[in-house]
Amino acid sequence: MDLLAGILLGVALTYVGFTLYYKKNSQHKTEKQSVVLMEKIKSVCKLISVEGDFAEIYHYENTKNHFLNLITSKKKAILLINAKVHIGYDLSQIKLESDNKKREIILTHFPEPKILTVETDVKYYDKVEGFFNKFDAVDLTGLNKESKSFIVEKIPKSGLIDSAKKEALDTILMIEQLLETSGWKLNYSQLVLPEIETKNLND
């Protein structure tokens, strides 16, 4: 009886030990997998963007007074601005948490779309200079900056921001599919996405 009891006790202890080891090892693998998945999401989805082209006309005029305001000298030009704009997301700013028991990745924050680049090509037409008011290198540099600011002011009414917000939804679905292939789920119930503005911005 003592021998049988000893054998049964040994089997029981072996089973318990094996179960604890397996559970701990499985939990460690699950935690490691969750970290790998979150890093994979950030590396695969670093950036998404919407591209827009602009062609705008900008009227520039500058007047200077000389000799006690007795003489007025004016310079003016018409600028044709061709620009390429990219709106997108820096997905390194997304916030992810993991629930290893439920095998879920929880998406708690998605960044706002922002202007990534504005590339402008400026051509000058009808450039007229006053005798005491000439165009110089400083003026041309300033006009290039003004033309970029002019395009940036046009972006809110262009619809590019709304298009980028729609791309965010597609990206979340892509992340969801990526996780499903690894046997995980994406939980975005805590996520609040900004509403897509469809009304006129001047209202």
Side-chain angles (χ1 to χ4, degrees), residues 133-199:
N133 196 0
K134 306 286 186 182
F135 282 100
D136 55 24
V138 174
D139 291 324
L140 298 179
T141 300
L143 279 174
N144 282 327
K145 289 182 179 179
E146 283 185 36
S147 64
K148 184 170 288 189
S149 298
F150 182 69
I151 294 297
V152 169
E153 290 174 1
K154 298 286 183 179
I155 291 174
K157 296 181 180 180
S158 69
L160 287 176
I161 300 293
D162 284 348
S163 296
K165 289 177 180 178
K166 292 175 184 177
E167 290 288 336
L169 298 175
D170 292 337
T171 302
I172 292 171
L173 292 177
M174 182 182 70
I175 294 172
E176 186 175 36
Q177 292 172 359
L178 173 67
L179 290 172
E180 286 177 351
T181 60
S182 302
W184 286 65
K185 294 187 297 183
L186 179 66
N187 182 341
Y188 46 89
S189 59
Q190 300 180 30
L191 184 66
V192 178
L193 285 174
E195 293 183 3
I196 297 174
E197 292 290 343
T198 55
K199 64 179 181 179

Side-chain angles (χ1 to χ4, degrees), residues 39-147:
E39 290 303 319
K40 189 175 182 181
I41 289 170
K42 291 183 179 180
S43 63
V44 170
C45 308
K46 281 187 178 178
L47 196 70
I48 60 173
S49 63
V50 173
E51 183 179 281
D53 293 309
F54 290 78
E56 299 287 342
I57 295 175
Y58 181 67
H59 294 268
Y60 171 80
E61 186 174 302
N62 175 270
T63 302
K64 289 184 179 179
N65 296 318
H66 301 273
F67 306 109
L68 301 176
N69 296 329
L70 296 176
I71 297 177
T72 298
S73 188
K74 181 186 295 184
K75 60 185 174 186
K76 59 182 181 179
I78 296 175
L79 281 64
L80 176 60
I81 309 169
N82 289 302
K84 189 177 292 294
V85 175
H86 288 95
I87 310 291
Y89 298 84
D90 180 1
L91 294 189
S92 65
Q93 296 179 4
I94 65 175
K95 293 181 181 178
L96 300 167
E97 299 174 2
S98 65
D99 186 331
N100 298 323
K101 290 182 179 180
K102 294 182 179 180
R103 292 177 68 83
E104 284 186 347
I105 298 297
I106 305 165
L107 180 57
T108 59
H109 173 74
F110 200 89
E112 291 277 351
K114 64 180 182 179
I115 300 172
L116 301 175
T117 60
V118 178
E119 301 172 3
T120 56
D121 178 35
V122 182
K123 291 182 173 60
Y124 296 86
Y125 295 92
D126 294 335
K127 189 162 66 173
V128 177
E129 298 178 314
F131 187 79
F132 296 106
N133 196 0
K134 306 286 186 182
F135 282 100
D136 55 24
V138 174
D139 291 324
L140 298 179
T141 300
L143 279 174
N144 282 327
K145 289 182 179 179
E146 283 185 36
S147 64

Side-chain angles (χ1 to χ4, degrees), residues 19-37:
T19 302
L20 291 174
Y21 171 79
Y22 178 79
K23 185 177 180 180
K24 184 177 180 181
N25 193 44
S26 177
Q27 184 178 1
H28 175 71
K29 286 183 178 180
T30 302
E31 290 176 356
K32 185 176 180 180
Q33 187 185 30
S34 69
V35 173
V36 171
L37 285 172

